[in-house]
Amino acid sequence: MRKLIFLYCIAFFIEQNAYGQVGDWRTRIGVEAGFKVTKKISFDLGIQTRSNLTQNSYSSTNFSIQAYYQFLKNWKFSGSYRNSIQPNEFAYLDGKNLSFRNRCQLALYYDPSKLLDVDKFLELDLRSIIQYEQFQYKRNQWYWRNRISIEAKLKSKLLRPYISMELLYRFNQYSYFMDNTLVTQGLMNEFRYIGGIKFNVNKKNTIDVALMFRDYRTQKASNPILSITYSHNFGRIFKSK
């Protein structure tokens, strides 16, 4: 039964990708640092650059901070903030070459692996996220994101393969007529599928290599994204004597 569930998830992942129309190839290269304040409280700092390989153009630089609170053994809560700097597509209006946007998230995490009796060979991560994004020259947006991640526990501690699926729904959609055609703006019923491997260099250093497929479920072409992230865990900041 356990193997059947795992194989079903992989089959679903492949089937969903089979119908996507491939758009631009993109990359995300990031560096993260993790800190632990107490047994229940921790936070991450990160910087990430995003590029469009197909158009050979530079996209954005993102600075982020995220705090976690483990209030139960399998439950945790987080809040995060991200600031993005990117080329201004409205530069012809105000003469500014760069634009900025801010993103805030509140997230709830749950690990049901022990409840489902699969914790010996799988690690599960369910999360639900409310996201608010503020743009400098665009309409601000609200999202509801739901994600499931499945990570395999291997005998080798060096490798940790995983797959992940996420649904993004944008609340503030609106429509208007243009030349007798109904145009919808703010539409983003998006699915994201990720397959990757985490390489544990040692107890404190990890390299995460993943391929993400963004399926917009609209006429817009879906984008494959290669993601590489290096993470260092500094551990406890304040250690009791």
Side-chain angles (χ1 to χ4, degrees):
M1 183 62 182
R2 297 173 184 174
K3 293 182 178 179
L4 182 62
I5 294 174
F6 185 68
L7 291 174
Y8 176 79
C9 291
I10 295 177
F12 180 79
F13 175 85
I14 296 173
E15 184 273 336
Q16 290 293 327
N17 278 279
Y19 299 98
Q21 181 182 357
V22 177
D24 293 345
W25 279 87
R26 304 186 180 189
T27 60
R28 296 183 179 183
I29 310 297
V31 177
E32 295 180 350
F35 304 86
K36 201 170 183 66
V37 182
T38 67
K39 290 183 179 180
K40 295 185 176 181
I41 300 176
S42 61
F43 64 92
D44 294 336
L45 298 175
I47 179 172
Q48 184 186 74
T49 61
R50 300 183 177 185
S51 301
N52 190 325
L53 297 179
T54 302
Q55 299 181 11
N56 195 26
S57 61
Y58 176 78
S59 297
S60 68
T61 301
N62 304 282
F63 304 90
S64 62
I65 180 171
Q66 186 165 10
Y68 302 89
Y69 176 64
Q70 188 91 34
F71 61 93
L72 290 174
K73 187 175 182 180
N74 299 323
W75 293 83
K76 65 181 177 181
F77 173 82
S78 79
S80 67
Y81 167 76
R82 189 185 75 185
N83 175 260
S84 299
I85 304 174
Q86 61 190 51
N88 179 21
E89 58 183 302
F90 302 100
Y92 65 92
L93 295 177
D94 57 12
K96 296 182 180 180
N97 293 324
L98 296 177
S99 64
F100 308 90
R101 59 178 175 172
N102 301 295
R103 190 190 74 178
C104 297
Q105 288 184 342
L106 294 176
L108 183 64
Y109 299 77
Y110 175 57
D111 178 5
S113 57
K114 190 172 183 179
L115 179 65
L116 298 174
D117 194 27
V118 296
D119 54 307
K120 292 183 179 180
F121 63 96
L122 290 179
E123 181 176 327
L124 305 180
D125 176 22
L126 306 180
R127 66 184 70 177
S128 186
I129 304 170
I130 294 296
Q131 174 179 309
Y132 172 74
E133 196 160 12
Q134 180 187 39
F135 294 84
Q136 188 174 6
Y137 299 105
K138 295 182 181 180
R139 190 169 180 256
N140 298 335
Q141 296 162 357
W142 285 92
Y143 298 86
W144 183 29
R145 305 173 60 166
N146 291 281
R147 179 174 177 175
I148 177 173
S149 298
I150 304 173
E151 184 177 305
K153 292 184 178 180
L154 306 179
K155 292 182 179 180
S156 172
K157 296 182 179 180
L158 177 64
L159 303 178
R160 290 187 292 163
Y162 66 91
I163 59 173
S164 178
M165 292 166 280
E166 183 177 18
L167 168 64
L168 288 82
Y169 179 78
R170 183 180 293 172
F171 289 105
N172 54 336
Q173 303 174 12
Y174 62 97
S175 301
Y176 59 92
F177 281 96
M178 177 180 290
D179 297 329
N180 296 322
T181 301
L182 184 65
V183 179
T184 301
Q185 293 289 336
L187 179 62
M188 192 177 224
N189 294 330
E190 175 188 344
F191 286 88
R192 294 184 180 181
Y193 309 99
I194 305 172
I197 300 178
K198 294 179 182 178
F199 298 89
N200 294 324
V201 181
N202 51 44
K203 291 183 178 180
K204 292 189 175 182
N205 297 282
T206 303
I207 299 175
D208 187 342
V209 180
L211 181 64
M212 176 194 299
F213 190 83
R214 300 183 62 179
D215 183 4
Y216 298 102
R217 298 292 168 143
T218 63
Q219 295 180 354
K220 184 178 179 181
S222 302
N223 295 323
I225 300 173
L226 175 64
S227 174
I228 303 175
T229 305
Y230 165 75
S231 301
H232 179 79
N233 186 2
F234 286 91
R236 289 283 293 270
I237 301 176
F238 307 106
K239 297 181 179 180
S240 57
K241 297 181 181 179

